[in-house]
């Protein structure tokens, strides 16, 4: 886990990371089809907007443990002050083996739909039902320009 945080720190300090376009604050998550998971999952993410919006961040996961993720999002449809995006990436979970069989070591793939309206975002992440059918997250995004 320390190596993962060191990698994130190095990425954040690199010249490519010098000017993120937005900071997002993850507030909560609802787990579909399961009980007993943390619903308050605070986190902070930096985003660089472009053809692919790239985000990197750290958060408290549904097991009350620290996690980090790297994702990319592409617009499907835009409207005034909002958009629907498809996103994908990887999240680090120290206990990935109890989350899903579909993983690479402690890294879990993420794929889902992200909706943005003004400062509010929500993500819909379908899962395999073992142990959760899906996750819906919510948070706020603030521009840095």
């Amino acid at each position: 886990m320390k190596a993962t945080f060191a990698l994130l720190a190095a990425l954040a300090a690199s010249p490519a990371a010098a000017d993120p376009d937005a900071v997002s604050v993850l507030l909560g998550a609802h787990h579909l089809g399961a009980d007993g998971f943390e619903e308050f999952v605070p986190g902070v993410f930096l985003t660089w907007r472009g053809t692919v919006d790239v985000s990197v961040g750290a958060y408290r996961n549904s097991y009350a443990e620290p996690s980090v993720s790297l994702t990319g999002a592409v617009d499907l449809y835009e409207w005034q002050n909002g958009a629907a995006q498809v996103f994908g990436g990887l999240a680090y979970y120290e206990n990935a083996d109890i989350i899903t069989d579909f993983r690479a070591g402690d890294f879990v793939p993420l794929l889902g739909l992200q909706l943005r309206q003004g400062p509010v975002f929500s993500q819909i992440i379908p899962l395999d039902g073992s142990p959760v059918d899906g996750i819906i997250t919510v948070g706020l995004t603030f521009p840095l320009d």
Side-chain angles (χ1 to χ4, degrees), residues 97-108:
D97 58 326
I98 63 173
I99 296 170
T100 181
D101 291 332
F102 190 65
R103 67 189 192 311
D106 288 333
F107 290 91
V108 175

Side-chain angles (χ1 to χ4, degrees), residues 32 87 109-113 123-127 132-137:
L32 304 170
F87 75 95
L110 301 173
L111 183 63
L113 180 67
Q123 297 173 323
I124 303 163
I125 306 167
L127 296 172
V132 179
D133 295 329
I135 300 172
I136 299 173
T137 69

Side-chain angles (χ1 to χ4, degrees), residues 50-122:
T51 305
V52 176
D53 294 349
V54 176
S55 296
V56 61
Y59 58 100
R60 178 182 160 173
N61 67 37
S62 305
Y63 295 94
E65 298 288 335
S67 284
V68 293
S69 70
L70 174 65
T71 61
V74 178
D75 287 346
L76 294 174
Y77 184 76
E78 291 183 88
W79 58 86
Q80 185 175 354
N81 297 320
Q85 298 177 300
V86 63
F87 75 95
L90 290 174
Y92 174 86
Y93 281 81
E94 190 170 304
N95 50 2
D97 58 326
I98 63 173
I99 296 170
T100 181
D101 291 332
F102 190 65
R103 67 189 192 311
D106 288 333
F107 290 91
V108 175
L110 301 173
L111 183 63
L113 180 67
Q114 178 168 277
L115 302 172
R116 294 186 291 114
Q117 181 61 47
V120 178
F121 75 86
S122 181

Side-chain angles (χ1 to χ4, degrees), residues 6-72:
L7 176 61
L8 285 176
L11 286 172
S14 73
D19 296 307
D21 299 301
V23 61
S24 295
V25 178
L26 178 62
L27 298 173
H30 178 68
H31 298 77
L32 304 170
D35 293 321
F37 290 93
E38 294 284 327
E39 301 286 329
F40 179 62
V41 290
V44 176
F45 299 83
L46 295 176
T47 300
W48 292 262
R49 299 223 189 271
T51 305
V52 176
D53 294 349
V54 176
S55 296
V56 61
Y59 58 100
R60 178 182 160 173
N61 67 37
S62 305
Y63 295 94
E65 298 288 335
S67 284
V68 293
S69 70
L70 174 65
T71 61

